[in-house]
Amino acid sequence: MTRPLALVTGVGPGTGSSIVRRLSTGGYDIAMLARNAERLAALEKEVANTKAYACDVTDETQLDATLAAVRGDFGAPSVLIHNAVGGAWGNFLEIDPKVLNANFQVNTMALLHLARRLAPVMVEQGKGAIITTGNTSALRGRANFAGFAPTKAAQRILAEAMARELGPKGVHVAYVVIDAVIDLAWTRKRYPEASEDFFIKPAAIADEIWHLLQQDKSAWSFNIEIRPFAEKW
């Protein structure tokens, strides 16, 4: 039996690689997209049923070439998980407007480009899923997140518009709001005094994405919020 194909963007050492591992154990082939070719190649050797594709998702020419390669290797993806992210800190007076635009290209425009290219086949087949990983910046604009929050808010609204369009056609679109600091090497260094309960585990995020993929069509979720039990909100 042919394994379904998932395409995952932003495959790094944290959430992205955990998503890949969960999908592999769940029976998927996975096309892994990221800019770091060396890291992708190492993960491809480690995790079964994966293939690495070095790609800058903000470059439409690269994206088209990569998707053509994916289709040649596997066929059309039935699942898209957009995990690539561009971020920056600073208030609206401090940020470089070019950085805000660059983050918009990664977070919002890349989702649009990917969905426009992959959703039509899902609609034709009457099934599929498009899941985007976000965070609380999609819901609120804190002062020092002016270079980031606007792009995540736009991303979430785009995903909602897609969900309203694609849901009745059999394609599940969902947005995962991660209200937490993800447990990574660099976040551990940034918060050296934080307890274990402070962080959200990448594998737990991946498990929730897996749960979304298993939802019955009579009970699809769109906006999912996940946070550690001790998180103040």
Side-chain angles (χ1 to χ4, degrees):
M1 184 175 182
T2 303
R3 296 166 63 94
L5 174 64
L7 186 147
V8 183
T9 70
V11 177
T15 304
S17 59
S18 291
I19 293 169
V20 166
R21 290 188 178 93
R22 185 65 187 88
L23 290 171
S24 178
T25 60
Y28 278 81
D29 286 328
I30 306 101
M32 306 183 297
L33 274 62
R35 289 176 294 182
N36 191 316
E38 183 178 350
R39 189 162 58 199
L40 280 180
L43 190 62
E44 180 180 348
K45 293 179 181 178
E46 179 187 344
V47 182
N49 309 307
T50 63
K51 189 169 179 61
Y53 300 88
C55 177
D56 180 349
V57 294
T58 68
D59 184 323
E60 286 193 75
T61 300
Q62 279 192 43
L63 190 60
D64 284 333
T66 298
L67 293 180
V70 170
R71 293 186 184 101
D73 293 334
F74 294 102
S78 60
V79 170
L80 164 64
I81 299 176
H82 185 45
N83 182 64
V85 62
W89 285 272
N91 66 39
F92 77 100
L93 293 170
E94 299 167 339
I95 62 168
D96 183 343
K98 293 179 181 178
V99 172
L100 175 61
N101 183 59
N103 292 337
F104 188 80
Q105 298 305 311
V106 177
N107 299 334
T108 306
M109 292 305 297
L111 173 61
L112 177 65
H113 294 320
L114 285 158
R116 283 168 60 91
R117 288 158 171 79
L118 300 181
V121 173
M122 298 182 192
V123 170
E124 182 180 318
Q125 296 176 346
K127 60 181 180 180
I130 298 174
I131 298 174
T132 303
T133 56
N135 51 46
T136 43
S137 286
L139 305 174
R140 65 191 181 201
R142 287 186 169 177
N144 286 326
F145 287 78
F148 180 55
T151 71
K152 297 303 281 187
Q155 181 188 66
R156 187 184 67 81
I157 290 299
L158 173 60
E160 183 174 336
M162 288 164 45
R164 293 174 185 271
E165 172 71 22
L166 295 174
K169 299 175 182 178
V171 180
H172 185 187
V173 180
Y175 194 83
V176 181
V177 175
I178 303 168
D179 183 17
V181 176
I182 300 172
D183 192 358
L184 304 168
W186 73 267
T187 58
R188 288 278 182 167
K189 290 180 180 178
R190 186 174 182 181
Y191 302 97
E193 305 301 322
S195 69
E196 289 291 323
D197 296 340
F198 176 75
F199 300 96
I200 189 169
K201 296 177 176 62
I205 298 172
D207 283 341
E208 185 57 31
I209 289 172
W210 178 256
H211 170 244
L212 281 168
L213 292 174
Q214 306 310 306
Q215 285 185 335
D216 187 85
K217 291 176 71 173
S218 69
W220 275 352
S221 300
F222 168 69
N223 200 77
I224 299 291
E225 295 186 23
I226 53 177
R227 58 180 61 86
F229 72 96
E231 179 77 13
K232 294 181 180 179
W233 60 290

